Amino acid sequence: MNVFADVVARVRTALTDLQSEGFLPKDIDLPAFDAEPPRDPSHGDVAVNAAMVLAKSAKMKPRDIAEALKAKLETAPDVAKIDVAGPGFLNITFKTGVWQSLVRTILKEGSAFGRGAAGHGEKLDVEYVSANPTGPMHVGHCRGAVFGDALANLLVFAGFDVAREYYINDAGGQVNVLARSAFLRYREALGENIGAIPEGLYPGEYLKPVGEALAADHGTSLLDMPEERWLPLVRSFAISRMMEMIKDDLAALNIRHDVFFSEASLTDGRDQVKAAIEVLRKKGLIYEGTLEKPKGHDDAEWEDRVQTLFKSTAFGDDEDRALQKSDGSYTYFAGDVAYHYDKLQRGFRHLINVFGADHVGYIPRMKAAVTALSDGTADLDVKVVQLVRLFKAGEPYKMSKRAGTFVTLRDVVDEVGRDPVRFMMLYRKNQETLDFDFAKVTEQSKDNPVFYVQYAHARAASVLRNAVEQVAGLDVSVEALEKADLSILTDPGELDLIRRLASFPRLIEGAAAAHEPHRVAFYLYDLASALHTQWTRGNDSPHLRFIQANDGVATSARLGLIFATKTVIRSGLQILGVEAPEAMR
């Protein structure tokens, strides 16, 4: 039951009728319009801007259209009143029974309440994390990992068929540096005094076990090999160990991927990079030429020689991009083009990439490539995740650095736990810098959003448990609560709580469409606040308490509301990947 979608459907039907009756021009298309909660609750339950959106194409005054819509809509048996406000807003107020029946709907639908069909089962690929397999995950990866995972959960909830993907950057110079760093630790494991780690190699202690494992598997045999022989062996082994460590770090946050795609696989055997370039060449989008040197900085992919270039400017990029250098080697961008072509070949037409803040400049060329390769039939949305700053009690905080150079994801999770990390990484818009305070995220107060929301779920569970003890013979099963007399729910605080529950399906639809899981976190905090407020009102006014020991009818109705609220909080927390506790520890 989506109250707002239902209003949209009613208004659209009324507009069609007004066209049929000749009040509105028949030759205009009905536009999209909004039905949403008004900013001021005293203005009603749902505000609709259809008249204002339609006025220009209809060449009519918006208030005239609004008055005609009002006449059509106000006869519905569940409508209490409709006001035309301002330039032509429709403010609809429903009868109380609409909200009371919504509680019953949630009880019947359970965890399915709010689940949308907006995705229509369409395939959608979300690529996130994709950290280089050269060391443990750092705190910056942590935010992108949580964001991508929660976004995938949200899209599944909204009805999409989602693939969660990780692109392993296992080709190029960084994995050769990894191999040489691991080989140094291998020599160390064999007893050699390696001294200080040379500049240019990875210094972290995490490579010691890799060196020890190489020594256990190969003994001293690798020492007798020239680099061209031991390098591919050590590289493959080290990458495998790094990916095991990365997967283990992600598992600590309950993050798992469906697909791990190897960059190296693009040129192993069949050259998929060449194939993707040829696809673009056949479309007339490849030429041989030179690029101007970028202003203000050196570009590793720039050379004053003829290169193979992609006409990305034809798709909105600010310059064409090199795919193949004069020596025949591919640029990094060429590998990404081939990788996204592979996604298209696998049937995806909706692609989402989660990038770090340092990759913003890369977005236009990737969008250009996807548009070109798909002839405009696929879309790519790139979500940029900004930096995380660590604090403890308001002071910048540095922790033990297992990696040797940065704070790891595992350090953060081990310090405060999975749930605070996941919730707080989502309790700010992804494009905004996030301050993560280790002291605040473990506080048991309203100022700690994760505690506040989890406590609301635990409080609802506690009310249900206590009711059984305090009211003899009371049945708090969902089947029994579905039959409760919900007409008792008339208190303004109760109705406010129900209206917030009614917004959940609309919230899911909007958050999924915008690819913004933070909206779910914000919503849950507001819903939890409404529940806690109503609890407090019961302390001040005993007749509002959820449990009325001498009134089983009122208790059952309010427990139905509590159960419904608990259900929605649980669904929201599951989307965020956060536990919904039955009791606080």
Side-chain angles (χ1 to χ4, degrees):
M1 180 179 178
N2 186 334
V3 172
F4 302 94
D6 179 63
V7 169
V8 169
R10 293 189 197 190
V11 173
R12 191 164 290 278
T13 298
L15 290 172
T16 302
D17 289 345
L18 290 173
Q19 280 185 308
S20 300
E21 296 166 5
F23 179 82
L24 291 174
K26 296 181 180 180
D27 59 348
I28 61 172
D29 294 327
L30 298 179
F33 54 87
D34 294 326
E36 59 189 4
R39 292 181 181 178
D40 185 344
S42 68
H43 291 170
D45 297 322
V46 182
V48 182
N49 68 345
M52 290 181 292
V53 173
L54 186 60
K56 185 175 180 179
S57 60
K59 298 179 180 179
M60 298 175 65
K61 294 179 179 179
R63 282 192 69 94
D64 291 344
I65 299 173
E67 290 289 353
L69 282 172
K70 173 184 175 182
K72 288 282 185 185
L73 299 169
E74 66 185 357
T75 58
D78 57 356
V79 172
K81 67 172 182 173
I82 298 179
D83 296 317
V84 176
F89 279 106
L90 279 180
N91 289 335
I92 303 172
T93 302
F94 287 109
K95 293 179 180 177
T96 305
V98 170
W99 307 114
Q100 295 162 345
S101 65
L102 181 96
V103 174
R104 201 178 321 277
T105 297
I106 298 174
L107 293 173
K108 288 181 178 179
E109 294 187 5
S111 61
F113 178 71
R115 284 188 182 272
H120 304 292
E122 287 188 79
K123 292 179 64 176
L124 191 153
D125 184 276
V126 184
E127 180 206 331
Y128 55 105
V129 187
S130 299
N132 289 337
T134 55
M137 306 281 290
H138 60 63
V139 70
H141 294 134
C142 177
R143 189 178 186 188
V146 170
F147 175 88
D149 193 62
L151 175 57
N153 292 342
L154 170 63
L155 292 166
V156 169
F157 198 84
F160 287 91
D161 179 8
V162 178
R164 305 160 191 257
E165 190 148 343
Y166 186 119
Y167 184 51
I168 307 173
N169 297 116
D170 56 354
Q174 78 277 1
V175 288
N176 287 334
V177 173
L178 172 70
R180 294 187 180 101
S181 304
F183 190 75
L184 189 66
R185 294 297 189 177
Y186 159 72
R187 287 161 44 197
E188 181 182 38
L190 291 175
E192 182 179 337
N193 182 3
I194 61 172
I197 305 296
E199 187 173 347
L201 297 185
Y202 297 122
E205 297 287 313
Y206 64 89
L207 284 174
K208 281 190 174 183
V210 179
E212 292 165 359
L214 283 168
D217 286 357
H218 296 278
T220 61
S221 64
L222 297 180
L223 296 176
D224 300 325
M225 297 182 187
E227 182 177 286
E228 61 266 23
R229 284 190 60 198
W230 65 252
L231 186 69
L233 294 174
V234 174
R235 181 175 60 214
S236 176
F237 185 87
I239 290 172
S240 176
R241 285 302 181 97
M242 290 301 98
M243 287 308 302
E244 288 177 12
M245 180 173 61
I246 287 171
K247 290 177 182 179
D248 187 53
D249 285 348
L250 291 172
L253 280 171
N254 200 25
I255 294 173
R256 292 170 178 80
H257 291 78
D258 303 313
V259 177
F260 286 88
F261 191 101
S262 162
E263 179 187 1
S265 71
L266 292 169
T267 51
D268 285 347
R270 176 175 173 267
D271 190 338
Q272 296 180 65
V273 180
K274 180 179 180 181
I277 293 174
E278 288 308 307
V279 169
L280 294 173
R281 192 184 302 277
K282 289 178 182 178
K283 298 176 186 291
L285 298 172
I286 297 294
Y287 68 99
E288 308 302 314
T290 59
L291 294 172
E292 292 185 12
K293 185 174 182 178
K295 296 178 181 179
H297 65 87
D298 292 327
D299 189 329
E301 293 189 354
W302 180 86
E303 57 177 322
D304 190 19
R305 296 179 183 177
V306 173
Q307 302 179 84
T308 300
L309 304 176
F310 164 50
K311 296 180 181 178
S312 55
T313 51
F315 303 93
D317 197 4
D318 56 2
E319 64 176 285
D320 293 338
R321 302 294 175 177
L323 294 176
Q324 196 166 15
K325 299 178 183 180
S326 58
D327 63 1
S329 63
Y330 296 125
T331 63
Y332 183 82
F333 176 55
D336 275 346
V337 170
Y339 172 46
H340 284 74
Y341 183 58
D342 184 89
K343 292 182 182 181
L344 297 173
Q345 293 294 96
R346 284 184 269 146
F348 294 106
R349 287 299 175 270
H350 303 295
L351 309 176
I352 300 174
N353 290 356
V354 180
F355 281 5
D358 55 344
H359 282 73
V360 172
Y362 208 66
I363 296 173
R365 72 189 74 175
M366 286 312 311
K367 285 179 171 284
V370 170
T371 301
L373 289 166
S374 69
D375 294 320
T377 63
D379 53 82
L380 168 66
D381 184 21
V382 179
K383 309 303 289 188
V384 175
V385 175
Q386 283 292 342
L387 302 175
V388 178
R389 297 182 298 197
L390 301 178
F391 294 86
K392 195 162 191 177
E395 297 295 325
Y397 184 51
K398 294 185 178 181
M399 304 166 66
S400 61
K401 297 180 180 179
R402 174 164 59 111
T405 55
F406 50 78
V407 178
T408 68
L409 175 154
R410 201 56 175 266
D411 284 332
V412 178
V413 177
D414 289 348
E415 176 85 2
V416 300
R418 183 186 74 196
D419 289 343
V421 171
R422 287 197 63 123
F423 195 98
M424 295 309 299
M425 290 290 167
L426 295 164
Y427 199 63
R428 186 169 291 277
K429 295 178 182 179
N430 58 281
Q431 65 269 33
E432 298 176 357
T433 299
L434 185 148
D435 291 344
F436 187 94
D437 192 308
F438 288 86
K440 288 185 178 179
V441 301
T442 53
E443 278 182 5
Q444 294 190 353
S445 74
K446 183 179 180 179
D447 294 330
N448 177 8
V450 61
F451 169 80
Y452 199 56
V453 173
Q454 287 186 314
Y455 184 39
H457 187 273
R459 171 167 272 174
S462 174
V463 169
L464 292 166
R465 289 193 301 269
N466 291 339
V468 175
E469 298 175 1
Q470 296 180 29
V471 183
L474 184 67
D475 186 352
V476 297
S477 67
V478 67
E479 294 80 11
L481 296 178
E482 285 177 19
K483 301 172 184 176
D485 180 7
L486 299 175
S487 65
I488 291 170
L489 301 175
T490 57
D491 175 73
E494 294 168 343
L495 294 175
D496 174 65
L497 188 53
I498 298 171
R499 289 186 179 96
R500 292 178 189 275
L501 296 174
S503 294
F504 186 59
R506 179 177 179 273
L507 176 279
I508 292 297
E509 185 176 318
H515 303 159
E516 293 183 343
H518 70 264
R519 296 191 191 187
V520 180
F522 292 178
Y523 168 82
L524 288 176
Y525 185 85
D526 289 343
L527 181 61
S529 181
L531 177 64
H532 292 311
T533 296
Q534 191 63 10
W535 167 277
T536 301
R537 292 182 71 227
N539 287 338
D540 298 334
S541 304
H543 70 283
L544 293 178
R545 290 176 181 170
F546 300 133
I547 302 172
Q548 298 290 319
N550 299 318
D551 190 344
V553 175
T555 298
S556 292
R558 287 174 178 161
L559 292 183
L561 175 56
I562 290 294
F563 200 109
T565 305
K566 178 174 179 282
T567 297
V568 172
I569 293 175
R570 175 178 287 273
S571 292
L573 287 174
Q574 286 176 341
I575 290 170
L576 302 184
V578 175
E579 181 187 359
E582 294 294 307
M584 299 302 287
R585 295 187 292 273

